[in-house]
Amino acid sequence: MKQQKPVIILFGPQGSGKGTQGKKLTEKLNIPYLETGQLLRNEIATGSEDGKRFASYMDKGNLVPPEDAIALMSKKITQAVSDKGGAVIDGFPRSAEQAKGFPEDINLTHVLLIDLEDKESIRRLSARRNCPKDKKIYNMITNPPKNNETCDDCGTKLVQRDDDFPKAIQQRLDVYHRDTEPLIERYKKMGLLHRINGMPSIEEVEKEIWKIFE
Ligand code: AMP
């Protein structure tokens, strides 16, 4: 397998900007962006039995079973690294069990943790809207559409994700603190962890992250 580029895991609570910053990194480094939540939502959109099962966990803000996440993501990571030499991975692993399922032959190079307080996560996620057609993401506070709740590019009415409502947001944050946060220590011990404050503007956070790769 040819791995010449970084393989990066993004950590951080919901709304910390992993998606926004992850996509910027993939453009700069020219490697694929693997967003676990979106890959699972793609499966739901096909209407398959697997998709229906995933939705029953995700709508409530719970993780899908670890064996499903591991099967999906180890395949995607291996493929991305062998095709493009690296990857930015958002949303995997999310538990100690999943971390054990990270492909052994892949050399993980960076773990970026974007820190954010729960109060700010809830504020940001409650304001998030998506275009169901082209998947563009808006935020009614920081990045609103030009016209009242419609997509700037295609005019489609924006929607809120099923798990971006207060009860599911709180559950996702609880799962993050309980299952995902303990993993941070593991990557710190491995010398791979970089901690970034997620509170400043998108541009400032982008600059902080880029310092690591320059
Ligand atoms: P996100 O878009 O990252 O907030 O993820 C949305 C939802 O997808 C999560 O609340 C989980 O239900 C599911 N999900 C995402 N990543 C994983 C994972 N690594 N393991 C299990 N479930 C996941």
Side-chain angles (χ1 to χ4, degrees):
M1 187 180 308
K2 287 190 297 173
Q3 180 180 333
Q4 304 129 336
K5 293 184 176 175
V7 173
I8 305 160
I9 291 179
L10 293 177
F11 273 133
Q14 285 71 17
S16 58
K18 296 190 298 290
T20 307
Q21 299 297 341
K23 282 172 201 147
K24 288 178 185 294
L25 261 184
T26 61
E27 280 164 25
K28 289 179 180 165
L29 297 169
N30 195 22
I31 47 178
Y33 174 58
L34 303 177
E35 185 185 1
T36 316
Q38 188 58 47
L39 293 167
L40 292 166
R41 285 190 290 278
N42 292 349
E43 187 61 40
I44 294 176
T46 67
S48 69
E49 286 307 311
D50 273 349
K52 282 181 197 147
R53 207 159 44 78
F54 296 163
S56 71
Y57 295 95
M58 291 171 69
D59 288 351
K60 296 188 192 73
N62 292 319
L63 297 180
V64 306
E67 56 276 16
D68 287 319
I70 292 170
L72 173 76
M73 292 311 290
S74 53
K75 196 170 118 201
K76 293 280 179 191
I77 295 166
T78 303
Q79 196 181 16
V81 174
S82 93
D83 291 352
K84 303 283 178 188
V88 176
I89 307 157
D90 175 354
F92 182 84
R94 279 196 181 181
S95 63
E97 197 174 348
Q98 290 187 11
K100 288 192 200 121
F102 193 91
E104 276 173 13
D105 53 343
I106 303 279
N107 176 28
L108 181 62
T109 58
H110 302 79
V111 175
L112 309 187
L113 166 64
I114 309 182
D115 265 330
L116 199 70
E117 284 181 12
D118 281 9
K119 218 173 92 193
E120 179 65 9
S121 283
I122 294 168
R123 192 180 79 93
R124 291 185 186 180
L125 260 59
S126 306
R128 185 157 75 175
R129 302 287 183 277
N130 312 292
C131 172
K133 197 165 162 213
D134 58 27
K135 310 275 183 275
K136 196 166 171 191
I137 299 170
Y138 296 86
N139 187 292
M140 299 311 286
I141 305 164
T142 54
N143 176 30
K146 292 196 186 83
N147 292 314
N148 200 18
E149 304 229 4
T150 58
C151 180
D152 291 348
D153 295 341
C154 66
T156 306
K157 176 123 187 61
L158 302 180
V159 296
Q160 232 176 328
R161 259 168 58 173
D162 289 338
D163 58 358
D164 273 351
F165 289 92
K167 209 167 152 205
I169 295 174
Q170 190 55 58
Q171 175 62 11
R172 286 157 70 203
L173 286 169
D174 291 348
V175 170
Y176 175 76
H177 293 307
R178 191 191 64 210
D179 294 340
T180 310
E181 231 165 30
L183 278 182
I184 292 165
E185 202 47 42
R186 171 194 181 105
Y187 293 112
K188 197 169 159 191
K189 280 194 190 130
M190 289 165 75
L192 299 175
L193 189 75
H194 302 265
R195 209 179 258 271
I196 297 120
N197 177 10
M199 271 308 277
S201 69
I202 291 175
E203 291 72 25
E204 283 170 273
V205 175
E206 182 184 2
K207 251 192 231 158
E208 273 312 296
I209 292 178
W210 194 239
K211 282 184 196 162
I212 300 164
F213 296 93
E214 260 173 339

